[in-house]
Amino acid sequence: MRYIILIFLVFLVGCIPEKPLVKTSLEDTIFLPQPNEVSIEEYGFLFDNRTVLYSGTSPEIRDIANEFRALITKNTSFPFALSENITSRNNAVLFEIVNADSIPNSEGYILEVIPERVSLQASKPEGLYRGMQTLIQMLPDDFINYGASLDSLVLPGTIIKDAPSYEYRGMMLDVARHFIAVDDLKKVIDDIATYKINKLHLHLSDDQGWRIEIKSWPKLTEIGGSTEVGGGTGGFYTQEEYKDIVAYAAAHFIEIIPEIDMPGHTNAALASYPELNCDDKATELYTGMRVGFSSLCVDKERTYQFIEDVVREISALTPGNYFHIGGDESHATSAADYKKFLQKVYPIVKRYRKKIIGWEDISNAGVDSTMIIQHWTSESIATKGLSQGAKVIISPASEMYLDIKYTKDSRIGLTWAGLTEVDKAYSVRPLELFPDVPKDQILGLESPLWSETVTNLDDLQYLAFPRLIGHAEIGWTDEEHLDWQHYKYRLSKHDDRLKYKGINSYTSPLIHQVD
Ligand code: ACM
């Protein structure tokens, strides 16, 4: 009998929960973008001194898990040891790769927060990385306000099943009109990764500046990189710096897409090399804001050697799939020359195994189903490209150009596409823009930030945030879940985080107005 009681007592002790159950509410958690399937669990997960983080043995997953670990250990005294092998699924935070049958989308993830564990699963590292952003958004604001030290930490109970609506969710930075320094670019990468942005398109050349070192054509940066809008000193990325940016972005699961704009928007190159001009005379450097006055010389073979060298050198530094050839506003090139030019450029880019992206204007020269057009101003021209089988990236200027002023009183920005308050930026719906096009022909969305009026990181952040956050949500969240009132509420609660993270965002009266 004594034995039976003893066994019973041992059994009871074994059943006593290791940790108290904590009732939680997901209501205070602000997700941006909104995950697609969220269910609420009554009890959350309580961290303690014995909570272990499991990553498996892959270095890539370990790096992701370590990023999360660093955030927890920076703000609490929990050791939160990282272990490669799963010894228990209790009191554990697990970052796991699972079979693609259960999570088919490479960026999809399942996040379960219950009293026993936090389990983050995906079929690919990028899925874990996107899921980790959701997990980080569940941490209290104090966590982001580095320096706070918390004695206790509870994550609200939930099960989230999530995957993006569109595979391409990008931002474009014009580093040509005003140069953007490497460290500023890295800060932008840190911040956009939070909102699950996965592409950063760099507009590397324009009339006012050439911003990437090309070893076989060194004057492009020596001369063409020496100034910018307003006559400042400009700048450029060395190939080593560019590689460093590509690697930094890749560590945030962001693909860099290089753009060399042609045949127009090329004055910086034409000023650097006389031979690129039909009259063999170099142009003057240009520091104004006009567009549409420059063109590479279409009839010279040297022009195509130049393009091949540039495409070859940049492609060798860029592991991603895409090369953007610009093609917009070539008003100084005749329609016939424009077509002749692009028909010669396409095979060059294809030779370097890159998928061609061009502004929708390239539809006028003929496109094919391997190419992607970027819609910015003319639905009819974009429709022409779509009818030839190209895919489309949605960037309509009036809703998605981040350089457009919010209101007439915005301290910087342009107004040619009207004014774009935060609600208008949130109103773009890709499927409504091209209702006759199947969804899989819409690759995704991109928010371009042209930099005519952007002279520093503060300016950049002011124009990009929060409009970019809305675009990121439209790219990620299924259309049926997009709701301005809900978005507005979440954005109003997100101000502190933006400030803690050092993002000088625009505070819109629309967000704080009750209606
Ligand atoms: C553009 O805004 N010129 C593409």
Side-chain angles (χ1 to χ4, degrees):
M1 186 61 189
R2 256 194 241 150
Y3 276 118
I4 291 173
I5 291 171
L6 196 61
I7 287 167
F8 184 61
L9 277 178
V10 168
F11 178 70
L12 261 189
V13 169
C15 286
I16 291 172
E18 288 196 340
K19 301 189 287 187
L21 285 175
V22 185
K23 270 199 189 219
T24 54
S25 155
L26 200 60
E27 252 166 46
D28 296 333
T29 298
I30 299 301
F31 293 120
L32 285 163
Q34 180 63 28
N36 280 303
E37 227 187 289
V38 181
S39 65
I40 294 176
E41 294 284 312
E42 192 175 1
Y43 298 103
F45 179 82
L46 178 68
F47 281 77
D48 67 22
N49 278 326
R50 283 169 299 157
T51 306
V52 175
L53 173 63
Y54 293 104
S55 69
T57 53
S58 141
E60 207 175 8
I61 311 303
R62 223 172 32 229
D63 285 350
I64 300 172
N66 259 324
E67 204 177 314
F68 186 65
R69 179 171 184 271
L71 201 54
I72 300 296
T73 53
K74 193 166 186 170
N75 295 284
T76 68
S77 57
F78 303 133
F80 199 37
L82 181 81
S83 164
E84 292 184 353
N85 302 310
I86 298 178
T87 50
S88 167
R89 298 182 77 83
N90 265 326
N91 201 357
V93 177
L94 305 119
F95 280 40
E96 281 181 290
I97 293 290
V98 296
N99 199 294
D101 292 344
S102 49
I103 306 180
N105 189 301
S106 64
E107 292 182 290
Y109 65 90
I110 298 176
L111 173 62
E112 190 179 51
V113 181
I114 55 175
E116 294 80 12
R117 74 189 68 90
V118 174
S119 155
L120 179 60
Q121 299 187 326
S123 59
K124 288 276 186 279
E126 56 261 42
L128 287 180
Y129 190 80
R130 305 296 172 229
M132 180 175 72
Q133 305 311 319
T134 305
L135 187 54
I136 291 171
Q137 291 183 355
M138 293 171 68
L139 295 168
D141 271 350
D142 287 349
F143 251 82
I144 309 304
N145 179 10
Y146 298 122
S149 182
L150 302 185
D151 301 333
S152 85
L153 176 61
V154 183
L155 285 176
T158 185
I159 297 174
I160 296 176
K161 293 183 181 161
D162 201 12
S165 186
Y166 292 99
E167 72 175 70
Y168 187 114
R169 305 176 309 282
M171 179 189 200
M172 187 207 83
L173 288 176
D174 168 10
V175 298
R177 268 50 174 273
H178 280 104
F179 182 60
I180 300 175
V182 174
D183 284 348
D184 290 346
L185 212 50
K186 288 184 173 176
K187 169 71 175 141
V188 173
I189 290 169
D190 290 341
D191 292 334
I192 65 178
T194 307
Y195 304 105
K196 302 185 172 72
I197 294 282
N198 66 356
K199 311 283 178 205
L200 180 60
H201 162 187
L202 295 177
H203 183 77
L204 290 165
S205 66
D206 212 301
D207 291 319
Q208 299 85 347
W210 186 284
R211 305 296 178 209
I212 180 156
E213 177 190 20
I214 302 295
K215 292 196 192 283
S216 53
W217 294 74
K219 288 185 194 158
L220 289 170
T221 44
E222 274 168 38
I223 297 173
S226 66
T227 192
E228 59 187 3
V229 165
T233 51
F236 65 92
Y237 307 122
T238 64
Q239 293 204 351
E240 283 308 308
E241 285 170 331
Y242 179 80
K243 274 198 276 190
D244 179 41
I245 293 163
V246 167
Y248 192 83
H252 293 70
F253 294 88
I254 290 175
E255 180 178 345
I256 295 290
I257 293 159
E259 178 187 352
I260 297 296
D261 205 344
M262 58 183 101
H265 289 278
T266 42
N267 187 70
L270 298 169
S272 306
Y273 284 97
E275 67 212 83
L276 297 176
N277 297 272
C278 289
D279 63 1
D280 287 318
K281 290 202 179 82
T283 59
E284 295 289 313
L285 287 168
Y286 180 68
T287 60
M289 284 174 32
R290 251 181 327 123
V291 296
F293 61 88
S294 56
S295 179
L296 291 170
C297 187
V298 171
D299 287 328
K300 276 190 173 176
E301 270 318 301
R302 189 77 180 131
T303 296
Y304 303 97
Q305 185 58 53
F306 162 72
I307 290 167
E308 172 128 24
D309 290 341
V310 168
V311 171
R312 185 187 63 250
E313 289 197 31
I314 295 177
S315 295
L317 306 170
T318 313
N321 289 317
Y322 302 104
F323 197 102
H324 200 307
I325 57 170
D328 59 319
E329 297 175 312
S330 295
H331 308 318
T333 321
S334 72
D337 273 359
Y338 182 74
K339 189 165 179 178
K340 186 156 79 178
F341 173 84
L342 283 179
Q343 290 297 334
K344 289 187 81 156
V345 167
Y346 293 157
I348 297 175
V349 180
K350 288 181 179 179
R351 229 177 357 259
Y352 293 94
R353 307 218 178 283
K354 296 295 178 194
K355 283 193 184 159
I356 294 169
I357 309 180
W359 297 103
E360 66 201 354
D361 315 43
I362 67 168
S363 307
N364 289 327
V367 289
D368 67 38
S369 61
T370 67
M371 298 183 196
I372 296 121
I373 54 167
Q374 186 163 6
H375 166 54
W376 65 283
T377 187
S378 164
E379 280 160 43
S380 66
I381 293 177
T383 300
K384 193 169 170 182
L386 282 162
S387 67
Q388 295 168 48
K391 290 192 174 180
V392 65
I393 296 167
I394 305 289
S395 304
S398 59
E399 290 92 8
M400 295 197 69
Y401 270 26
L402 298 173
D403 50 304
I404 297 298
K405 286 184 172 193
Y406 293 94
T407 71
K408 65 177 180 22
D409 299 323
S410 293
R411 66 177 177 81
I412 48 172
L414 304 177
T415 55
W416 68 266
L419 298 169
T420 308
E421 247 296 359
V422 178
D423 56 347
K424 188 170 169 202
Y426 192 72
S427 71
V428 66
R429 296 290 178 269
L431 297 176
E432 285 168 24
L433 268 175
F434 299 104
D436 300 328
V437 165
K439 188 178 178 214
D440 63 7
Q441 221 179 328
I442 301 177
L443 195 63
L445 298 88
E446 184 176 286
S447 319
L449 178 52
W450 301 98
S451 65
E452 285 93 336
T453 69
V454 175
T455 56
N456 55 42
L457 183 63
D458 253 20
D459 291 351
L460 186 163
Q461 293 177 329
Y462 166 77
L463 287 173
F465 296 97
R467 290 182 289 199
L468 179 77
I469 302 174
H471 297 157
E473 175 151 299
I474 295 159
W476 182 276
T477 307
D478 292 341
E479 195 169 317
E480 74 219 60
H481 304 308
L482 300 177
D483 175 67
W484 162 248
Q485 292 299 334
H486 188 222
Y487 171 68
K488 182 180 118 155
Y489 167 77
R490 284 176 288 131
L491 206 50
S492 73
K493 299 280 181 196
H494 192 60
D495 265 1
D496 283 351
R497 262 196 205 215
L498 287 167
K499 287 200 176 61
Y500 292 151
K501 286 201 286 192
I503 299 177
N504 164 47
S505 62
Y506 163 66
T507 304
S508 167
L510 296 181
I511 296 303
H512 297 277
Q513 134 192 323
V514 182
D515 51 26

